């Protein structure tokens, strides 16, 4: 109910802001191009001056196609300037703006500066958060506390994203997220998402794109939305690169980037590696259960686990501008990540009858070990064709990801009672994963205010998996356990087609983007006695956007998303590596469907402040959730197990989540700035045959940055995630904070940084509960998060900023044009 009041107030605020928007004035539009080759100049600075005034009163940057539109300009006469690094300024005088009309300046040509720059370092600071019609972009260039960190550390700061202490990620409270790298899927995310995100150094990340309401062009997977990690590259003429190194008490990493671009060709090479140093995490678990006879059993487990993690990435990217209208891009990447854990746990299983008399007391010592290694090779080939008509574009993409993963574990259980024989189990689980995507996308602008997009995609996923299990017999010999040894092949094919349209109506008062995507899924698997049905789903999307003024806008969107159960959720094999906690899958699971609504408001202020409010409502049907059932005795393959918790995923009715996310950025002074992200939401789960469960949760964080001058700056970041009620218990709260400093020198080519994470506490305590019919369980973990680190970075290279000479239709340079020396 709290959230509904917040949503109601937000709607009133947005409508009031709209109602009070300024009356229609005039607009100025145009396009900026390179005078030497007529190519669009993206992100050029357009400034508007009143006649006789030295400082501009309005302005904007051109979009990736060189276009710009500045609205809310009072009627009058103005001077317009266009600037970009390496070009001479172009000035357009005596520009007349009339109320209610658009003054089109046509094509503004920028001439290259005839002086070549060598050994220079370019620092272009993008806004930390950018809001666009279909996504929000987080730029971590000035993120001091993430220096020396990994992708997880950056995600903790991104608006609308929540990360728990184990690296589990939620988007607007939903964990069903589709992760992409440079807009493409990768098998690196399939085996272990937490390990994959911990293997990408923060120094390699250019930006994080968050798409909460994806349009028809996007895959339907992910009821929570899409997170796209954009890695760094360079399209600047010349040779340049960077080196980043960091060392600390908990993590070490490094990366190297090299970019070479000459004329029509460009190559980018990179290598990065990281390691999480061995940490020890104490933990306790206490489960109380009752059987049908009234006997109560208490299972108390206390121990600690050692854990370490490592990973590296490398790759090559190639670009070739074949002609004025044809571009070819190819890439190949190799990823490796792994982890190793081992632990010792003391167990005490005590049973008493209804009168309190002790029936049994079994004390055991469990020693466990696990090891995971995963590799992924990603290849892609992309072709882009543009046409003389602005905005008309054809894109063809082939991408394939090849994954090889091996997981092994062992467990030895020794009874502390006299005469007991040790028992144990070991298993090895090798697997292969291949995902291939072929997509064709076409954009056709019918006129200035109406554009059609259409395309299709094939998504083929093939998995081979084997499990080989041995059991310790008589305390001395490992023998094959055929009931726990198996192999399977899993295939999933998705055939998709979409159609969408974008238009402006009511004299450009309202922008509309509507689309429909159709996906047909065919799944086959050789699970025992299993037949997985095929299914088709239609995915509509709709976005209304209104630009109240140049500095504020409001957006309303709707989209349908799905979450397909993966092979682990469908596999009916029973994992009994821990005989008290058994897990399995269900081949009859259906895909979860989500209907998502979002209302957003964004306002930028002249002093640099920014506020973004996003209210959302999401309803999932056939909701996929993990559920634990307790059994006094459970019989599996001829063996009987006692005091067992069986966990698997179910389609549990529906889930509704409503909430609001508030992001505020304020430059308090020229040297001191604050950013805060707050999210409040309420989740209600409705399960047939059970009472509904509601839980309110919130997340608060604060980022403060201060510049001392002389290229020295400091930062503080603090984050609090509240606890949350679930259908079977509570999830723990989470507190995290860090401090960072950075000094830049050598004309900002080099820097040194210091970081401290949770410096005043070695551990973060995590307390969670799980309950159900016949049992109640509490778990307490102490997670080591305290760390201190140092990081170094260096940028190098000579940058020419050379533009291509005019090309003929075959992409050849025309020799009759004078040579451009760069600028």
């Amino acid at each position: 109910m709290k959230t509904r009041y917040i949503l109601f107030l937000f709607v009133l605020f947005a409508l009031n802001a709209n109602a009070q928007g300024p009356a229609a004035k005039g607009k100025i539009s145009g396009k900026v191009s390179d005078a030497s080759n007529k190519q669009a100049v993206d992100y050029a600075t357009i400034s508007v001056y009143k006649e006789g005034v030295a400082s501009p009163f309005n302005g904007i940057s051109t979009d990736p196609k060189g276009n710009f539109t500045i609205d809310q300009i009072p009627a009058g006469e103005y001077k317009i300037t266009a600037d970009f690094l390496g070009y001479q300024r172009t000035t357009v005088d005596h520009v007349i703006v009339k109320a209610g009309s658009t003054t089109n300046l046509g094509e503004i040509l920028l001439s290259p500066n005839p002086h070549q720059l060598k050994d220079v370092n370019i620092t272009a600071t993008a806004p930390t958060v950018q809001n666009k019609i279909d996504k929000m972009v987080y730029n971590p260039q000035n993120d001091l506390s993430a220096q020396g960190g990994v992708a997880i550390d950056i995600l903790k700061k991104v608006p609308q994203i929540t990360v728990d202490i184990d690296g589990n990620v939620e988007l607007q409270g939903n964990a069903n997220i589709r992760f992409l790298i440079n807009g493409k899927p990768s098998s690196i995310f399939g085996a272990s998402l937490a390990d994959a995100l911990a293997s990408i150094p923060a120094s390699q990340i250019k930006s994080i794109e968050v798409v909460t309401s994806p349009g028809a062009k996007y895959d339907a997977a992910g009821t929570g939305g899409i997170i796209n990690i954009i890695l760094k590259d360079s399209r600047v003429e010349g040779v340049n690169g960077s080196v980043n190194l960091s060392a600390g008490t908990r993590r070490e990493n490094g990366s190297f980037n090299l970019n070479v671009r000459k004329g029509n060709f460009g190559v980018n090479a990179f290598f990065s590696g990281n390691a999480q140093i061995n940490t020890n995490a104490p933990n306790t678990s206490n489960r109380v259960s009752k059987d049908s006879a009234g006997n109560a059993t208490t299972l108390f487990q206390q121990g600690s686990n050692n854990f370490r993690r490592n990973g590296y990435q490398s790759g090559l990217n190639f670009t070739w501008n074949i002609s004025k209208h044809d571009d070819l891009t190819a890439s190949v990447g190799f990823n490796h990540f792994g982890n190793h854990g081992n632990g010792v746990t003391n167990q005490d299983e005590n049973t008493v009858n209804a009168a309190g008399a002790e029936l049994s007391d079994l004390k055991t010592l469990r020693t466990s070990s696990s090891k995971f290694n995963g590799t992924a090779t990603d290849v892609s080939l992309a072709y882009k064709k543009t046409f003389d008509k602005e905005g008309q574009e054809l894109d063809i993409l082939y991408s394939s990801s090849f994954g090889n993963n091996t997981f092994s574990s062992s467990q030895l259980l020794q009874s502390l009672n006299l005469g007991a024989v040790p028992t144990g189990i070991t298993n090895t689980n090798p697997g292969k994963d291949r995902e291939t995507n072929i997509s064709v996308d076409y954009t056709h602008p019918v006129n200035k205010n109406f554009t059609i997009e259409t395309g299709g995609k094939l998504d083929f996923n093939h998995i081979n998996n084997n499990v080989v299990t041995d059991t310790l017999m008589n305390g001395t010999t490992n023998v094959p356990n055929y009931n726990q040894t198996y192999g399977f092949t899993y295939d999933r094919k998705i055939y998709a087609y979409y159609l969408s349209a974008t238009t402006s109506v009511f004299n450009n008062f309202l922008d509309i983007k509507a689309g429909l995507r159709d996906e047909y899924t065919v799944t086959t698997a050789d699970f025992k006695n299993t037949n997985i049905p095929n299914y088709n789903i239609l995915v509509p999307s709709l976005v209304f956007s209104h630009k109240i003024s140049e500095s504020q806008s409001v957006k309303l969107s709707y989209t349908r998303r799905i979450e397909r159960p993966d092979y682990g959720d469908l596999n009916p094999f029973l994992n009994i590596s821990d005989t008290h906690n058994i897990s399995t899958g269900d081949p009859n699971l259906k895909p979860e469907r989500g209907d998502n609504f979002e209302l957003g408001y964004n306002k930028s202020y002249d002093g640099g402040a920014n506020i973004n409010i996003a209210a959302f409502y999401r309803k999932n049907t056939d909701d996929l959730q993990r559920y634990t059932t307790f059994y006094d005795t459970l019989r599996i393959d001829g063996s009987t197990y006692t005091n067992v918790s069986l966990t698997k995923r179910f389609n549990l009715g529906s889930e509704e989540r409503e909430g609001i996310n508030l992001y505020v950025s304020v430059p308090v002074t020229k040297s001191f700035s604050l950013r805060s992200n707050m999210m409040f939401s309420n989740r209600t789960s409705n399960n047939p045959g059970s009472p509904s469960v509601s839980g309110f949760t919130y997340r608060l964080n604060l980022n403060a940055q201060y510049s001392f001058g002389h290229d020295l700056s400091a930062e503080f970041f603090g984050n609090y995630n509240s606890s949350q009620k679930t259908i079977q218990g509570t999830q723990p709260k989470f507190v995290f904070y860090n401090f960072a400093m950075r000094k830049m020198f050598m004309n900002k080519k080099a820097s040194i940084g210091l970081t401290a994470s949770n410096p005043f506490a070695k551990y973060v305590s995590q307390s969670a509960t799980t309950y159900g019919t016949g049992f109640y369980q509490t778990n307490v973990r102490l997670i080591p998060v305290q760390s201190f680190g140092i990081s170094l970075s260096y940028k190098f290279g000579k940058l020419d900023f050379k533009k291509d000479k005019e090309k003929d239709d075959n992409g050849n340079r025309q020799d009759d044009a004078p040579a451009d020396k760069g600028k």
Side-chain angles (χ1 to χ4, degrees), residues 385-566:
K385 182 172 183 62
T386 58
F387 301 84
D388 290 332
K389 188 173 186 178
E390 184 179 339
Q392 187 178 4
E393 186 176 293
L394 173 68
D395 292 277
I396 302 174
L397 172 65
Y398 165 85
S399 66
S400 200
S401 186
F402 308 84
N404 287 278
N405 309 299
T406 300
F407 176 78
S408 60
S409 65
S410 64
Q411 180 175 273
L412 179 66
L413 195 64
Q414 296 174 292
S415 175
L416 301 182
N417 297 346
L418 294 177
V421 177
T423 61
I425 189 171
T426 63
N427 63 60
T428 302
N429 178 202
K432 293 184 178 182
D433 181 0
R434 177 175 180 178
E435 183 171 2
T436 299
N437 292 270
I438 301 173
S439 62
V440 178
D441 302 290
Y442 176 68
T443 303
H444 185 81
V446 178
N447 56 45
K448 184 179 178 180
N449 292 322
F450 186 70
T451 300
I452 294 176
E453 294 179 274
T454 187
K457 183 176 182 180
L458 303 177
D459 184 345
F460 297 160
N461 191 208
H462 176 81
I463 296 173
N464 287 111
N465 196 285
N466 293 281
V467 175
V468 179
T469 304
D470 293 335
T471 301
L472 184 65
M473 295 293 291
N474 302 320
T476 58
T477 306
N478 284 320
V479 298
N481 183 336
Y482 296 108
N483 288 328
Q484 289 286 296
T485 297
Y486 72 106
F488 68 83
T489 300
Y490 172 90
D491 282 286
R492 186 181 66 196
K493 296 180 174 65
I494 303 172
Y495 306 88
Y497 173 76
Y498 74 91
L499 177 66
S500 69
T502 304
T503 187
S504 296
V505 296
F506 308 126
N507 196 26
N508 295 322
F509 176 83
L510 188 67
D511 295 324
I512 304 174
K513 187 170 186 176
L516 182 66
R517 186 181 184 91
D518 182 81
E519 291 192 352
Y520 184 72
T521 304
V522 178
T523 305
T524 59
D526 56 3
F527 303 148
K528 186 178 180 181
N529 301 321
T530 298
N531 180 35
I532 303 173
N534 304 332
Y535 54 89
N536 188 78
I537 184 168
L538 290 174
V539 183
S541 61
L542 183 62
V543 179
F544 296 99
S545 178
H546 170 57
K547 199 170 186 179
I548 302 172
S549 68
E550 190 62 34
S551 61
Q552 58 180 331
S553 61
V554 64
K555 179 182 73 172
L556 176 65
S557 64
Y558 162 76
T559 185
R560 176 172 292 167
R561 310 290 296 163
I562 66 170
E563 177 67 17
R564 295 180 177 88
D566 62 26

Side-chain angles (χ1 to χ4, degrees), residues 599-644:
L599 177 63
Y601 171 77
N602 186 74
K603 167 73 173 176
S604 298
Y605 296 86
D606 292 338
N610 178 263
I611 182 172
N612 178 265
I613 308 172
F616 57 88
Y617 171 79
R618 300 176 179 273
K619 182 175 182 179
N620 297 337
T621 54
D622 291 325
D623 189 42
L624 286 169
Q625 291 199 40
R626 292 195 175 277
Y627 194 85
T628 300
T629 306
F630 179 77
Y631 294 88
D632 300 333
T633 60
L634 183 64
R635 192 165 179 81
I636 302 173
D637 294 326
S639 299
T640 301
Y641 301 91
T642 60
N643 199 18
V644 175

Side-chain angles (χ1 to χ4, degrees), residues 612-791:
N612 178 265
I613 308 172
F616 57 88
Y617 171 79
R618 300 176 179 273
K619 182 175 182 179
N620 297 337
T621 54
D622 291 325
D623 189 42
L624 286 169
Q625 291 199 40
R626 292 195 175 277
Y627 194 85
T628 300
T629 306
F630 179 77
Y631 294 88
D632 300 333
T633 60
L634 183 64
R635 192 165 179 81
I636 302 173
D637 294 326
S639 299
T640 301
Y641 301 91
T642 60
N643 199 18
V644 175
S645 291
L646 178 66
T647 302
K648 65 178 181 178
R649 293 187 83 181
F650 291 87
N651 290 114
L652 292 177
S654 65
E655 177 187 277
E656 295 181 64
R657 182 181 289 270
E658 58 212 13
I660 188 167
N661 191 93
L662 174 64
Y663 169 81
V664 179
S665 176
V666 181
V668 182
T669 68
K670 289 184 178 180
S671 301
F672 181 55
S673 63
L674 293 172
R675 296 199 315 269
S676 181
N677 183 47
M678 295 167 278
M679 186 178 74
F680 308 88
S681 68
N682 187 75
R683 182 176 68 181
T684 302
S685 296
N686 299 295
N687 308 312
S690 302
S692 63
V693 178
S694 295
F696 180 78
T697 185
Y698 59 94
R699 172 213 176 180
L700 308 171
N701 72 33
L702 177 67
N703 195 98
Q705 192 170 105
Y706 186 82
S707 175
F708 297 94
H710 305 289
D711 296 325
L712 176 65
S713 55
E715 182 181 273
F716 166 79
F717 174 71
N719 183 85
Y720 177 81
N721 291 356
S722 72
S723 62
Q724 182 174 6
K725 190 176 182 180
T726 67
I727 59 173
Q728 279 194 291
T730 57
Q731 294 178 346
K733 65 181 181 181
F734 173 38
V735 180
F736 180 82
Y737 60 95
N738 55 32
F739 301 90
M741 293 190 70
R742 181 175 66 185
K743 168 65 177 176
M744 304 182 75
F745 48 94
M746 295 177 63
N747 195 27
K748 296 187 178 181
K749 287 185 177 182
S751 68
I752 181 171
L754 301 173
T755 58
S757 299
N758 282 50
F760 306 116
K762 184 177 181 180
Y763 295 101
V764 168
S765 178
Q766 295 275 276
S767 179
T769 61
T770 306
Y771 51 81
T773 304
F775 80 100
Y776 186 91
Q777 181 171 326
T778 60
N779 296 283
V780 178
R781 297 185 301 151
L782 297 179
I783 310 297
V785 294
Q786 185 186 71
S787 68
F788 303 89
I790 183 172
S791 63

